[in-house]
Amino acid sequence: MAGAQTSPSDSSAGRSLKLVAFGDSLTAGYNLPGSAAFPPVLEQALRQKGLAVEIVNAGVSGDTTQGGLERLDWSVPEGADGVILELGANDALRGVDPAVTRQNLEAIIARLTERKIPVLLAGMYAPRNLGEDFVKRFDAIYPELAKKHGLVLYPFFLDGIAGDRALNQADGLHPTADGVTVIVRTILPTVERFIATLQPRS
């Protein structure tokens, strides 16, 4: 079975790497069966590649970067080998000052770095109707933080499904199960690259 195999980065025999998918409704799987949410679908895709990885779903629907910062310590348990950080969409939808979003994300990254937990930063783009200045400031947050802190960056979490009615629910904001499948397929090479940099904790 693929799930019984270990990745090159898994030096502890029989131990899976433990990742935490830390985000909002896009991670939590809003209005989808639990098995169709991003974390379990990604976990299955990785196991099919022969990578022994467990992905914890730490997504909370409606969460902002401020909410994520406030719950970070108990949402990312000790023993996590890495975090996929997917937050900021709700900040943009609510028109939160991008400076605040940046500050919160940087605080989350700093706290995880202090705990020696590597981060894959999943980026987001602002809705284009919020004005050129807002869009420019918001969109710059993720690549600039990734560069500053040396993080693996996935530029746009909704790449491949944004604006596609067939892959989004009726609200136009949340992916369908098929949409999640596309997200996973598109982000998979970046997650594999991230995993290759990790060392499992004893």
Side-chain angles (χ1 to χ4, degrees):
M1 291 175 58
Q5 299 176 21
T6 56
S7 72
S9 62
D10 190 353
S11 59
S12 302
R15 185 194 181 283
S16 294
L17 284 169
K18 183 176 183 179
L19 303 184
V20 177
F22 184 69
D24 49 37
S25 56
L26 300 176
T27 291
Y30 174 79
N31 214 23
L32 295 174
S35 61
F38 170 73
V41 176
L42 177 60
E43 179 181 304
Q44 182 63 27
L46 290 167
R47 288 184 175 271
Q48 288 174 353
K49 291 267 192 172
L51 298 171
V53 179
E54 173 194 356
I55 303 182
V56 176
N57 189 340
V60 172
S61 292
D63 221 357
T64 60
T65 55
Q66 181 64 43
L69 178 59
E70 290 170 357
R71 69 180 175 90
L72 176 65
D73 292 336
W74 58 264
S75 293
V76 178
E78 292 302 320
D81 296 302
V83 166
I84 299 173
L85 175 57
E86 176 277 306
L87 281 171
N90 288 314
D91 293 52
L93 290 172
R94 297 179 187 186
V96 173
D97 185 341
V100 174
T101 299
R102 179 190 293 265
Q103 181 179 2
N104 290 334
L105 285 171
E106 187 146 37
I108 291 171
I109 292 164
R111 197 171 296 176
L112 290 170
T113 300
E114 288 171 6
R115 295 173 60 188
K116 296 181 168 50
I117 300 175
V119 175
L120 188 165
L121 184 60
M124 185 55 57
Y125 295 151
R128 304 293 111 168
N129 62 355
L130 292 177
E132 183 178 348
D133 179 66
F134 187 98
V135 168
K136 183 178 179 181
R137 293 170 63 214
F138 184 92
D139 289 2
I141 293 171
Y142 299 89
E144 289 177 1
L145 286 180
K147 183 177 181 180
K148 179 177 180 180
H149 295 278
L151 308 181
V152 173
L153 172 69
Y154 185 66
F156 182 38
F157 187 73
L158 298 177
D159 190 19
I161 75 159
D164 189 333
R165 291 185 180 182
L167 296 174
N168 284 279
Q169 298 177 39
D171 60 14
L173 299 173
H174 297 96
T176 61
D178 287 342
V180 172
T181 299
V182 173
I183 290 172
V184 167
R185 184 171 66 235
T186 310
I187 199 175
L188 191 60
T190 302
V191 176
E192 289 182 276
R193 180 158 54 91
F194 178 59
I195 288 172
T197 69
L198 303 180
Q199 295 296 327
R201 298 192 174 194
S202 57

